[in-house]
Amino acid sequence: MSITVVGSVAYDSIATPAGRRERCLGGAATYFSLSASFFTDVRVIAVVGDDFGPEQEAVFAARNIDTRGIERAGGKTFFWEGSYLDNLNEAKTHQTDLNVFAAFEPKIPDTYRDSEFLFLANIDPVLQRRVREAMPGVKLVAGDTMNYWIKDHRPALLEVLKGLDVLLINDTEARMLAGNPNLVLAARAVMALGPSSLVVKHGEYGATLFHKSSPASKGAEFRAPALPLDEVVDPTGAGDSFAGGFFGYLASQPALTPAAYRRAMFYGSVMGSFAVQRFGTERLQSLTRAEIDERFNLFRELTHLD
Amino acid sequence: MSITVVGSVAYDSIATPAGRRERCLGGAATYFSLSASFFTDVRVIAVVGDDFGPEQEAVFAARNIDTRGIERAGGKTFFWEGSYLDNLNEAKTHQTDLNVFAAFEPKIPDTYRDSEFLFLANIDPVLQRRVREAMPGVKLVAGDTMNYWIKDHRPALLEVLKGLDVLLINDTEARMLAGNPNLVLAARAVMALGPSSLVVKHGEYGATLFHKSSPASKGAEFRAPALPLDEVVDPTGAGDSFAGGFFGYLASQPALTPAAYRRAMFYGSVMGSFAVQRFGTERLQSLTRAEIDERFNLFRELTHLD
């Protein structure tokens, strides 16, 4: 089944201990859709500027991603500059130019309307809500957000949460959103705001899946590891790549069983682990499904008793 | 097979968000031996003062722990006071009185000499080395250390590492010991100093096992989760309880197979998760083997795909 994703398509300038890249293709919707495209059909809603050219378009085309919902506006594409020189676990933002994103009004192509899965990548919750309301018939809606929206746009974000089935955020965001430092209590508080499932990403320590319906004695439903890597080249997009693997795998399954959710957590971790091994989307562009399944087996070996 | 452990037996005064306890029974050797006693016979080498009474002795006796190697010295028992009021993941030390530990000369009872497993809990590496050298015939030696010894007693610690099969430390200690922020590279550097296996504990995120012999492509050998808990009452002793579960289980096994190491990692995590649910050693004192195995199954359910 196909996924429609709304979010940013951007240029990123990134500095890490491994080097730097200027204006490489980035954005949450880009990482998400490249990652999810290994599992199912993906359709993107975004906006880019005059500076978005055939080279960037070719990256999406090579993965058969439907870009008819990427609007061309006069002006410049969204630009982000950040570094991870002191701490690979946290980006330091140097510059954010919204550019064409400042006046973005998401338009949903008619050809997208039969998508059964919807992903609201990290953008203004007002836009997330608008897209959610424009696609009332979807089977499963997942979304992401970040500290900025949690702190300064809480009312709009709370409206989005009411319409989500699955929220994917990191530890800090979960604790901030719930106002509780304990992860289990924070997860319960977040799910009380709407989503029936919550995926909390722990960076190099993996990710935890919570279901509203899980018995309290379990604490959480499932925990997926991350692959211990001897080199992290660029952490940008790890979370969006996780989301793409997770949601892409779910969308490829005939039924949303507990086992499907567990494997989806593994595929999320697998895709995140590939994304950080090269700058920007480089590794996702060169990836094959055989490599994905090989790494899936490595993850199983890393966590299974027998 | 039996384990001999050398380390501290102490009184702890602890403040956490859940409350406080004055002068409760603590010390690395205490947590380790209570935890390991659920799996195998345990013999303790330590020193206590005149203030160590029948009530404390009874805690060891109830778990059939051999305390003939606990020396009674004139003076006061080792005392530690700490709090976790701001951060449950890191103790703030308010007071450390070495007392009788300042002049401790470990003496190994003859009845301990047939122990095939030796655990060197977190004490002065000079003492760790002395005990190690006094028991050359043991089959497997594991040990712990802490930031203080890594920073200020490095030469003595390096001598201990040469004689260790398994080192158990936390992330920060591993990175500090290796001088490398990348966990996989840090693990390789630490194992190059002696131990053929390394267990790195990640607190609420579980623990990772590294073997010197693991193929580089795997990054690590095995990753065990921690149980997401909705209340952490007192983190004191979690690491020592992990070590007791891990090493106690290994000592109970007929052979040190890869599968035995994996299950040992799970039992370590299980024991750590119990320890933090009550103050001091309270939960370890009331625990049953049936509860341990029930939680082991919960851990399996939390991480297994099928």
Side-chain angles (χ1 to χ4, degrees), chain A residues 6-285:
Chain A
V6 60
S8 58
V9 173
Y11 286 117
D12 291 343
S13 288
I14 303 160
T16 84
R20 54 181 299 138
R21 288 290 185 284
E22 303 297 335
R23 293 181 63 77
C24 61
L25 178 63
T30 305
Y31 284 101
F32 177 90
S33 58
L34 287 174
S35 175
S37 72
F38 289 93
F39 304 93
T40 194
D41 292 334
V42 185
R43 299 153 170 185
V44 188
I45 300 169
V47 62
V48 294
D50 307 324
D51 53 355
F52 195 83
E55 198 189 326
Q56 287 73 42
E57 280 163 35
V59 173
F60 291 90
R63 296 287 328 143
N64 287 314
I65 296 164
D66 192 334
T67 57
R68 281 177 288 182
I70 300 188
E71 185 188 335
R72 311 297 163 120
K76 283 187 167 179
T77 299
F78 179 50
F79 173 74
W80 177 79
E81 184 178 348
S83 67
Y84 306 83
L85 295 176
D86 296 329
N87 182 356
L88 275 171
N89 294 312
E90 202 181 334
K92 187 181 280 183
T93 293
H94 301 290
Q95 198 172 332
T96 306
D97 300 333
L98 285 179
N99 296 330
V100 294
F101 241 91
F104 180 42
E105 295 274 353
K107 291 165 203 75
I108 298 156
D110 283 342
T111 53
Y112 284 18
R113 294 198 176 272
D114 61 352
S115 280
E116 288 185 279
F117 286 71
L118 174 63
F119 188 75
L120 309 173
N122 170 33
I123 47 168
D124 188 333
V126 171
L127 300 181
Q128 290 182 313
R129 186 181 177 193
R130 207 170 296 159
V131 174
R132 173 68 185 94
E133 286 176 351
M135 295 184 73
V138 291
K139 180 175 164 188
L140 200 74
V141 189
D144 188 8
T145 190
M146 68 184 288
N147 49 6
Y148 173 70
W149 309 116
I150 295 171
K151 270 203 317 215
D152 297 339
H153 293 73
R154 195 176 178 89
L157 180 61
L158 293 181
E159 288 303 313
V160 173
L161 294 182
K162 288 180 193 164
L164 281 191
D165 298 302
V166 186
L167 176 66
L168 296 98
I169 48 180
N170 68 31
D171 288 75
T172 312
E173 291 157 355
R175 290 173 165 127
M176 186 188 285
L177 183 53
N180 194 317
N182 178 286
L183 188 64
V184 175
L185 299 181
R188 284 184 202 145
V190 168
M191 291 188 291
L193 299 172
S196 52
S197 300
L198 172 69
V199 176
V200 182
K201 295 165 287 177
H202 313 306
E204 66 173 314
Y205 301 120
T208 305
L209 170 69
F210 296 90
H211 285 326
K212 216 180 255 181
S213 58
S214 299
S217 60
K218 291 179 72 174
E221 180 63 23
F222 188 64
R223 195 161 254 193
L227 188 69
L229 293 168
D230 58 12
E231 190 182 30
V232 173
V233 171
D234 173 15
T236 311
D240 301 312
S241 303
F242 181 105
F246 172 84
F247 210 51
Y249 180 79
L250 279 186
S252 76
Q253 293 304 292
L256 299 175
T257 61
Y261 268 95
R262 285 165 180 254
R263 288 192 302 268
M265 290 289 287
F266 259 55
Y267 278 111
S269 256
V270 163
M271 298 308 289
S273 77
F274 279 119
V276 303
Q277 290 190 296
R278 296 281 181 281
F279 272 100
T281 59
E282 286 170 18
R283 189 64 184 98
L284 296 183
Q285 289 184 45

Side-chain angles (χ1 to χ4, degrees), chain B:
Chain B
M1 280 173 278
S2 79
I3 298 175
T4 288
V5 51
V6 59
S8 58
V9 172
Y11 286 117
D12 291 342
S13 288
I14 303 160
T16 84
R20 55 181 299 137
R21 288 289 184 284
E22 304 298 336
R23 294 181 62 77
C24 60
L25 178 64
T30 305
Y31 283 101
F32 177 91
S33 58
L34 286 173
S35 176
S37 72
F38 288 93
F39 304 94
T40 195
D41 291 334
V42 185
R43 300 152 169 185
V44 188
I45 300 170
V47 61
V48 295
D50 307 324
D51 52 354
F52 195 82
E55 198 189 324
Q56 287 74 41
E57 280 163 35
V59 173
F60 291 90
R63 297 286 328 142
N64 287 314
I65 296 164
D66 191 335
T67 57
R68 282 176 287 182
I70 300 187
E71 185 189 335
R72 310 298 163 121
K76 282 187 166 180
T77 299
F78 180 49
F79 172 75
W80 177 78
E81 184 178 347
S83 67
Y84 306 83
L85 295 175
D86 297 330
N87 182 357
L88 275 172
N89 294 313
E90 203 181 334
K92 187 181 281 184
T93 293
H94 300 291
Q95 197 172 333
T96 306
D97 300 334
L98 285 179
N99 296 330
V100 294
F101 240 91
F104 179 43
E105 296 275 352
K107 290 164 205 72
I108 299 157
D110 283 342
T111 53
Y112 283 20
R113 292 198 178 269
D114 62 350
S115 280
E116 288 186 279
F117 286 72
L118 174 63
F119 189 75
L120 309 173
N122 171 34
I123 47 168
D124 188 334
V126 170
L127 301 181
Q128 290 181 314
R129 187 183 175 192
R130 206 170 296 161
V131 174
R132 172 69 186 94
E133 286 176 351
M135 295 186 72
V138 290
K139 180 175 164 188
L140 200 74
V141 190
D144 188 8
T145 190
M146 68 183 289
N147 51 4
Y148 173 68
W149 309 115
I150 295 171
K151 271 204 315 217
D152 297 339
H153 293 73
R154 195 176 178 90
L157 180 61
L158 292 181
E159 288 304 313
V160 173
L161 294 182
K162 288 180 194 165
L164 280 191
D165 298 302
V166 187
L167 176 67
L168 296 99
I169 48 181
N170 69 30
D171 288 76
T172 312
E173 290 157 356
R175 290 174 166 127
M176 186 188 286
L177 183 54
N180 194 316
N182 179 287
L183 188 65
V184 175
L185 299 181
R188 284 185 202 144
V190 168
M191 290 187 292
L193 299 173
S196 52
S197 300
L198 173 68
V199 176
V200 182
K201 296 166 285 178
H202 312 307
E204 66 174 314
Y205 300 120
T208 305
L209 171 69
F210 296 90
H211 285 326
K212 217 180 252 181
S213 58
S214 299
S217 61
K218 290 178 74 174
E221 180 64 25
F222 188 64
R223 195 160 252 193
L227 188 69
L229 292 168
D230 59 11
E231 190 183 28
V232 173
V233 170
D234 173 15
T236 311
D240 301 312
S241 304
F242 181 105
F246 172 82
F247 209 51
Y249 180 78
L250 279 186
S252 76
Q253 292 303 291
L256 300 175
T257 61
Y261 268 95
R262 286 166 180 254
R263 289 192 303 267
M265 289 289 288
F266 260 55
Y267 278 111
S269 256
V270 163
M271 298 308 289
S273 78
F274 279 119
V276 303
Q277 290 189 296
R278 296 281 181 280
F279 272 100
T281 59
E282 287 171 16
R283 188 65 184 97
L284 296 183
Q285 290 184 44
S286 70
L287 201 56
T288 67
R289 180 61 196 249
E291 288 175 315
I292 292 170
D293 288 326
E294 190 185 347
R295 187 160 290 185
F296 183 95
N297 290 332
L298 198 60
F299 271 69
R300 177 196 285 265
E301 206 183 312
L302 195 67
T303 51
H304 276 225
L305 288 169
D306 324 291

